[in-house]
Every structure is written in C-alpha cells, then in structure tokens.
Amino acid sequence: MRALVIEDETAVAQDLAQALSSAGFVVDISSEGEDAWYKGSVEDYDVAVLDLGLPRIDGLSVLKRWRSAQRTFPVLILSARNDWTEKVAGIEAGADDYLGKPFEMGELIARVRGLVRRAAGRASSIIEVGQLVLDTHRMSATYAGRPIRLSQLEFRFLDYLAHQSGRAVSAGELAEHLYGADEPGDTNAIEALVVRLRRKIGPQVIETRRGFGYLLAGDGG
C-alpha cells in the first residue's frame, strides 16, 4: 500500500514514515500544503496522513481541494489542536478519521490499516483469497494451511492484489504501489516478482489476465 505523510515537523514526519514502512507501506513525505495538494492530485495513494498546521496551504484547505477534485483515498487528520469543532470541520471536509497529538504510533498504524481495509470493503485484518490467507497485522501468510515465508516486498505485492476485490491489476500500477518515489520500479521487476512468488507458493496462486494484469487465484473478477 502507498501512503502520503504530510507533516512539517521533520522529526515527526520521519518517525511516521519509518513506522508506516515497517508496517508494509511505501511512504512519500510532503512538508507543506502546496506540495501535498499536488502529490495527492497526481499520484495514486491508498491513504494519506495529513497534519492541519502546514505552511503555504493549511491541511484543511488541501483536503477540500482533493475532495473537490474527486480524490477519494482515505485521509487521517493529525492535529495538535484537539477541539471538537475542528474535528467536525475536518470530517465535513472529507476526512475519514482524526487523531490528536500527541498520539501512540501503534494506534495510528491501526487506524491507517483500518481505513485501507474499509476502503477496499474489508472488515478484518485477515484476508482470505481462495487458499491464500494474509494476516495484514502480522504481515504473514499461509497457503493451504502451510506458512509461507515472504519478504516485505513479496507480502506487499500479495496484499495489494488482495485489496483489489477481484480486479486485475497492471504491472505498471503494481510498480507504483510497491516502490517509493525515489526508487521507481518497472514492469520487468514486477514480472520477476511474480515468477519468484509462483516458485515459492505455487504456479496457481497468481493468474495473468493478458492485456489487464495480475489477479489472485480464487478472487473472482
């Protein structure tokens, strides 16, 4: 999953990025409102963590611009101002959740994961697709009851496909969500990753829909 962190305090932004990365997210960082608005308008994110107190354009205005442009990815607002009227303003502007500062990183990660699950129409951290079972909390997997040892990149690949609800996903889209902005992937890397997973789990786990992309076996679509 791909996350955008918008936070003008460098240390806080780095802590957020590290925690989200450890939780399996590919993270981009923005430190001011205008850059955040642009990135959220042109890039395909699965979730954003948005601080309200930003230079150039405040966080609430960034959110309103995204929603006016039909950018629908879930947004978690962060703010040191814990006033209930501000929370209402954020929710009415299109935020999906609100967390006041200071906060526990574990709670933020749980909330972000919950937003991504609900956006994909899933209620549990356990995702079952055919015989493949993914635990998005523990970042672990089994196939036909057998534990599968996966790298973080391999898990992110399966996790992203599992969240697409039966939709075949192109190699280009997968590359965008598996590699950060500073480490762009390509379709050859995705094809190599598919080959590696088929060897590790079995040739039947990932289907190829010619002209469309990849799909987890048993996920319909």
Side-chain angles (χ1 to χ4, degrees):
M1 296 296 157
R2 194 174 179 196
L4 176 61
V5 169
I6 307 102
E7 169 61 62
D8 65 328
E9 294 184 43
T10 302
V12 176
Q14 293 295 335
D15 287 346
L16 286 167
Q18 183 176 2
L20 286 165
S21 179
S22 296
F25 289 85
V26 174
V27 183
D28 292 339
I29 297 176
S30 181
S31 61
E32 50 95 356
E34 188 170 338
D35 179 69
W37 165 75
Y38 177 77
K39 285 179 177 175
S41 297
V42 301
E43 299 290 344
D44 187 15
Y45 292 104
D46 299 291
V47 66
V49 178
L50 174 64
D51 184 40
L52 290 185
L54 298 172
R56 304 190 67 145
I57 304 175
D58 66 273
L60 197 61
S61 296
V62 170
L63 177 58
K64 289 177 178 178
R65 289 188 184 189
W66 283 342
R67 295 314 191 217
S68 295
Q70 305 303 311
R71 303 300 285 172
T72 60
F73 51 82
V75 174
L76 169 65
I77 282 181
L78 293 179
S79 178
R81 304 188 296 271
N82 212 11
D83 185 270
W84 72 268
T85 58
E86 187 179 70
K87 293 181 181 181
V88 170
I91 298 299
E92 289 184 342
D96 300 274
D97 202 355
Y98 191 107
L99 189 59
K101 295 178 179 179
F103 56 86
E104 293 294 330
M105 197 64 75
E107 180 182 1
L108 181 138
I109 295 299
R111 286 173 178 262
V112 167
R113 282 174 167 159
L115 291 178
V116 172
R117 286 200 308 270
R118 288 193 291 275
R122 299 184 182 275
S124 172
S125 61
I126 305 297
I127 302 175
E128 298 184 33
V129 184
Q131 297 188 75
L132 179 68
V133 179
L134 301 176
D135 185 331
T136 60
H137 176 67
R138 294 183 172 84
M139 294 181 66
S140 62
T142 63
Y143 188 81
R146 175 174 60 91
I148 305 297
R149 181 171 293 181
L150 300 171
S151 68
Q152 189 179 88
L153 183 63
E154 291 167 345
F155 183 87
R156 291 206 309 263
F157 177 93
L158 295 174
D159 184 36
Y160 187 72
L161 284 186
H163 276 85
Q164 301 313 302
S165 301
R167 180 175 67 88
V169 182
S170 70
E173 180 180 340
L174 283 162
E176 288 182 4
H177 287 262
L178 294 180
Y179 301 94
D182 297 329
E183 187 186 352
D186 57 29
T187 56
N188 290 333
I190 297 300
E191 291 171 3
L193 184 58
V194 170
V195 170
R196 192 160 70 243
L197 281 166
R198 284 172 171 161
R199 288 174 179 168
K200 184 174 287 191
I201 305 176
Q204 73 286 352
V205 68
I206 301 169
E207 296 180 10
T208 300
R209 298 284 176 87
R210 295 195 179 278
F212 295 95
Y214 300 102
L215 180 74
L216 291 180
D219 202 16

